[in-house]
Amino acid sequence: GKVRYLGASNVLGWQLQKIVDLSKYMGLNKWITLQTEYSLMSRGIEWELTDVCRREGIGIIPFSPLKGGLLTGKFTREGDMEEGSRITAATKSKKPFISAPDFDEFRKNDKFWTMMDVMKKVAKDQGKTVPQVALRWLLQKDVVSSVIIGAKTVQQ
């Protein structure tokens, strides 16, 4: 079969531009999507990748838009972590990964708690939930096509 739609994941800006340029040069199908981590807490792609995507017409589909649940508003600095959550497992094992950071690191991060206070205020003022605020922030970006939610349960 033929590949109709091409996408990349977890590349740097210069790498994506090189991919796009090489594909154009070779007459291959256009790259249309980039899957990468992007959220209010993970904005590193704004340094290069968003510019490449905007210029080349590539839609970003962020994964971990709620940063493993940290941007849901259900965590408190002094509170216990939810048993069975990815963040709890990562924190207890001291083996964090992109979509499940070590919560103990965030307990000490004043910037994070200030951001969460602002998100809670915006959510309350707009009659929305904290996760809706986090997702809306992403979905209003001109280069974001959709988001990938890593729900763990049917209720989520």
Side-chain angles (χ1 to χ4, degrees):
K2 292 185 178 184
V3 175
R4 294 184 182 165
Y5 305 104
L6 298 170
S9 181
N10 297 328
V11 295
L12 301 173
W14 70 267
Q15 292 171 319
L16 183 60
Q17 189 64 63
K18 194 169 185 175
I19 289 167
V20 168
D21 292 344
L22 186 59
S23 294
K24 285 179 186 177
Y25 176 77
M26 295 176 67
L28 302 175
N29 284 358
K30 183 180 181 205
W31 288 71
I32 63 163
T33 191
L34 171 67
Q35 179 183 323
T36 191
E37 182 186 23
Y38 190 27
S39 71
L40 276 163
M41 291 177 55
S42 301
R43 298 179 63 184
I45 71 166
E46 292 174 353
W47 286 102
E48 286 184 354
L49 276 169
T50 54
D51 292 335
V52 173
C53 289
R54 190 173 293 110
R55 185 174 51 252
E56 300 296 341
I58 296 171
I60 297 173
I61 304 175
F63 65 80
S64 197
L66 300 176
K67 193 65 173 174
L70 281 179
L71 295 175
T72 61
K74 66 182 177 182
F75 292 92
T76 62
R77 186 176 262 192
E78 296 80 22
D80 292 330
M81 295 174 292
E82 183 180 305
E83 280 304 316
S85 73
R86 292 181 188 120
I87 290 177
T88 301
T91 302
K92 285 182 177 180
S93 70
K94 294 299 178 196
K95 295 180 183 175
F97 52 98
I98 288 175
S99 60
D102 183 341
F103 185 63
D104 288 338
E105 294 300 314
F106 286 93
R107 284 188 203 274
K108 305 175 230 170
N109 186 329
D110 291 333
K111 282 185 177 180
F112 169 71
W113 296 106
T114 299
M115 181 184 70
M116 289 308 302
D117 290 342
V118 170
M119 289 177 64
K120 287 176 182 177
K121 181 179 180 341
V122 169
K124 183 179 178 189
D125 291 349
Q126 299 298 316
K128 304 293 181 188
T129 65
V130 174
Q132 286 174 317
V133 171
L135 295 175
R136 173 68 178 163
W137 181 84
L138 277 172
L139 291 170
Q140 72 182 4
K141 302 290 185 184
D142 63 339
V143 294
V144 173
S145 303
S146 186
V147 296
I148 298 172
I149 304 289
K152 200 173 159 191
T153 65
V154 174
Q155 292 78 17
Q156 291 175 338

